[in-house]
Every structure is written in structure tokens, then in C-alpha cells.
Amino acid sequence: MTMPVLQASMPLHTLSKRLSLSSALTLLHTHRWRPLSCQMSADSFHLTHSITLPIQLAEPVQIVAAPGISESEFRTAINSSLFKQWLRNLQSETGILADNAMSLKRVLIQGVDMFGERIGFLKFKADIFDKETGKKVPGIVFARGPAVAILIHLESDGETYAVLTEQVRVPVGRLILELPAGMLDDDKGDFVGTAAREVEEETGIHLNLEDMVDLTAFLDPVTGCRVFPSPGGCDEEISLFLYRGHVDKEIIMQLQGKETGLRDHGELIKVRVVPYKNLWRMTADAKVLMAIALYEMAKREGLLPP
């Protein structure tokens, strides 16, 4: 059954301007491909690449492929937006290399997972040293890039409900209740459009883009206005949005247990609708808990549109 457009009972909210991934911190670096060598073993190539970062011109960085990484995968990894954004982050005003106390020496590309023709996940190790002590800092990176998630509030018969998705999550071996969420598909930084598209794919609900509130935009600009769920090992940065609407109780009943998702992509999703007042204790999904915290604090400080 086609879901009606949800009309939010609030004035339009102007989202804070963000730098897109393609325009943020345009820091150029030069590339120099080295000839391939077959000296490691008979069935693997020793692929290397050298780059020079503007922030440490006297210290070229060696990029090396781990055994099993093909030349095509190696080039794809180095040219990917995931890797380029990581390099930009290192050199930003709040980056690790900004104050010249650290030095990037070497990067080992260990894994490349493709989503069709584009790179989805990238795994690598970075050798970054503290210049004063000479010690290497922990540098294992699982790169997956920016993502979005949205907290949906539906008012019905005096009760506020939150819309969640129930998904199979193999890494934790469990079914998890989560906010509708997804990764950005490109470098254009279309956070709002991606959030709305993911909601429609995962719940069947069509959202009005102009009625979405960017909760992460209320953070101090020094944070980048994103949240990092696991910065010790993953580069994922999430923009969290809020959508508020009014619906009949019949719509709540139709949503409950609805099977959605892109089945041809392996998405086996069920929609779950729960009272918002109980949401904070019903799931351990970090996106849910972060969204609740931002929403409640923004509401307390009067930052939300009425």
C-alpha cells in the first residue's frame, strides 16, 4: 500500500550549510607510481605508490599493497574518495598532522570491498609517528565514509511514536532495532537527499525534504557537525536528522511489522513503531541514543522549530 506524504506541523527549517566532501579542504598532493615488482613471491605483486602531502613536503608517504591486493584494487583504493578524504582530514586545522608533531610514513592497503562499481569499504594500516618520542600511534583504519540517519516522530492520538527498522546485522550476530540510515553513495555530500531516500527504501514513508531538521547542525562547528560512533577504528561520520509529522492511528498500524528494504541487495528489513517515551531503553543502537540526546538537548535549549 502506498504511504501518504507525511506533513510536519512545523515551519520550514533551514539546514546549516556544510562543506561537501568534494569541496572541503582541497589539499593537493602529487603522485608518483613506481614500477611493479614480483620479488615477494611467485603469486603476488609488491605494489607501491608514493605521495607527497603539502603539510609534510620533505617526507613522502609510501603506500603499499598487502599480499592478495590486485593492481586494480590498489589503484581503486588510492583514488577512492574514502582514502582522499582521510588524507584531507589528517591535514585539516584539527587534523593529526596540523601542528607538525606527528608524521605519516607509510600506509598498508589490506582490503577493498566493492559495492558494484564503487568502493564500499576500505581497510588499511597507517604508520603515524610522534616526532618527540618516536613512538607509533595506533593506526588501524576501517574506512566507510559519511552516513546519515533520521529520527522520525509521528504524532497520533496524543502519543508520539518513533519509527525504527529491524535488520540482520552479521558483525554483531543479532537482529538490531535501528534508525533508518544509510551511506552516502557519492562525493556530492547530499546528506538531506540521502536521508530521505533511505527512509523511503527502509520504511516506505516519503518525507518532505524542507521539513527535516539537522540535529547535528546544532553541534559546535569545530566538531564538523557530525558524530563519530567508533573513532578508534572507523572513520564513519554520521549526520542525524529529525522529522516530525501527524498521522492517523491506522497508519501506525500499517507500518508495524511492514517488510521493506532492497531485497535484491540482501536487505531484509521490518519496520517497528514504538512509543518515543520508551525508545531510549529499547535498543543499544548508537544512532538512536545519539539522536535522542541531541533532540532532547536541542529541545531543552529552545533550538527546535515549534
Side-chain angles (χ1 to χ4, degrees), residues 18 147-151 179 213-217 227 238-242 287 290-291 294:
R18 297 260 193 87
V148 296
I150 181 163
L151 175 63
L179 293 184
V213 179
D214 187 347
L215 294 173
T216 38
V227 292
I238 303 178
S239 295
L240 294 169
F241 292 87
L242 168 70
K287 298 183 297 296
M290 290 186 294
L294 289 173

Side-chain angles (χ1 to χ4, degrees), residues 293-304:
L294 289 173
Y295 168 72
E296 293 295 339
M297 294 301 295
K299 182 173 67 172
R300 190 183 76 174
E301 298 191 15
L303 299 176
L304 295 174

Side-chain angles (χ1 to χ4, degrees), residues 56-68:
Q56 56 175 55
L57 292 173
E59 303 176 87
V61 181
Q62 298 303 310
I63 316 296
V64 182

Side-chain angles (χ1 to χ4, degrees), residues 3-14:
M3 296 297 303
V5 174
L6 300 179
Q7 299 294 338
S9 59
M10 66 181 199
L12 302 185
H13 179 79
T14 303

Side-chain angles (χ1 to χ4, degrees), residues 113-134:
D113 288 306
M114 303 298 297
F115 290 2
E117 296 182 355
R118 69 182 181 87
I119 192 167
F121 299 141
L122 177 62
K123 169 72 163 52
F124 58 91
K125 291 179 68 176
D127 292 342
I128 296 180
F129 291 85
D130 182 287
K131 292 183 177 181
E132 182 178 356
T133 64

Side-chain angles (χ1 to χ4, degrees), residues 44-174:
S44 66
F45 291 97
H46 183 55
L47 303 171
T48 63
H49 178 53
S50 178
I51 62 174
T52 301
L53 303 179
I55 206 163
Q56 56 175 55
L57 292 173
E59 303 176 87
V61 181
Q62 298 303 310
I63 316 296
V64 182
I69 299 296
S70 69
E71 181 178 356
S72 174
E73 290 174 328
F74 189 50
R75 290 178 183 268
T76 298
I78 294 173
N79 292 321
S80 69
S81 61
L82 291 176
F83 190 66
K84 290 179 179 179
Q85 183 60 43
W86 178 74
L87 291 174
R88 285 195 288 267
N89 290 344
L90 290 179
Q91 302 171 85
S92 67
E93 290 183 5
T94 56
I96 293 174
L97 304 181
D99 60 2
N100 201 35
M102 301 279 181
S103 175
L104 174 63
K105 300 290 188 182
R106 179 177 179 267
V107 176
L108 176 66
I109 305 295
Q110 297 175 306
V112 180
D113 288 306
M114 303 298 297
F115 290 2
E117 296 182 355
R118 69 182 181 87
I119 192 167
F121 299 141
L122 177 62
K123 169 72 163 52
F124 58 91
K125 291 179 68 176
D127 292 342
I128 296 180
F129 291 85
D130 182 287
K131 292 183 177 181
E132 182 178 356
T133 64
K135 300 291 185 181
K136 184 166 67 173
V137 299
I140 298 176
V141 181
F142 173 58
R144 56 173 295 163
V148 296
I150 181 163
L151 175 63
I152 302 175
H153 279 183
L154 299 182
E155 299 282 346
S156 182
D157 292 347
E159 180 80 68
T160 301
Y161 295 90
V163 179
L164 303 176
T165 61
E166 181 183 80
Q167 301 195 53
V168 175
R169 292 307 193 188
V170 175
V172 295
R174 299 181 182 183

Side-chain angles (χ1 to χ4, degrees), residues 220-239:
D220 191 290
V222 73
T223 67
C225 295
R226 313 269 172 78
V227 292
F228 296 87
S230 186
C234 182
D235 75 329
E236 183 181 38
E237 51 184 40
I238 303 178
S239 295

Side-chain angles (χ1 to χ4, degrees), residues 125-292:
K125 291 179 68 176
D127 292 342
I128 296 180
F129 291 85
D130 182 287
K131 292 183 177 181
E132 182 178 356
T133 64
K135 300 291 185 181
K136 184 166 67 173
V137 299
I140 298 176
V141 181
F142 173 58
R144 56 173 295 163
V148 296
I150 181 163
L151 175 63
I152 302 175
H153 279 183
L154 299 182
E155 299 282 346
S156 182
D157 292 347
E159 180 80 68
T160 301
Y161 295 90
V163 179
L164 303 176
T165 61
E166 181 183 80
Q167 301 195 53
V168 175
R169 292 307 193 188
V170 175
V172 295
R174 299 181 182 183
L175 288 170
I176 300 293
L177 288 177
E178 306 178 37
L179 293 184
M183 300 164 58
L184 262 67
D185 294 331
D186 51 43
D187 303 339
K188 298 178 182 179
D190 183 15
F191 292 90
V192 182
T194 298
R197 184 170 62 252
E198 289 296 333
V199 167
E200 189 160 4
E201 290 176 359
E202 295 188 357
T203 69
I205 300 173
H206 177 74
L207 304 183
N208 298 317
L209 298 185
E210 63 270 19
D211 292 333
M212 294 170 61
V213 179
D214 187 347
L215 294 173
T216 38
F218 297 129
L219 295 171
D220 191 290
V222 73
T223 67
C225 295
R226 313 269 172 78
V227 292
F228 296 87
S230 186
C234 182
D235 75 329
E236 183 181 38
E237 51 184 40
I238 303 178
S239 295
L240 294 169
F241 292 87
L242 168 70
Y243 187 92
R244 295 179 289 183
H246 287 269
V247 297
D248 294 332
K249 196 59 174 287
E250 180 183 355
I251 299 299
I252 299 295
M253 297 175 65
Q254 290 174 358
L255 284 172
Q256 191 69 265
K258 181 178 180 180
E259 295 185 353
T260 61
L262 302 177
R263 299 282 161 157
D264 56 339
H265 290 187
E267 292 184 350
L268 306 176
I269 299 174
K270 287 186 178 180
V271 179
R272 301 297 184 194
V273 184
V274 303
Y276 173 71
K277 63 185 178 184
N278 300 332
L279 179 60
W280 70 276
R281 58 172 54 189
M282 295 189 66
T283 176
D285 176 37
K287 298 183 297 296
V288 170
L289 300 177
M290 290 186 294
I292 291 174

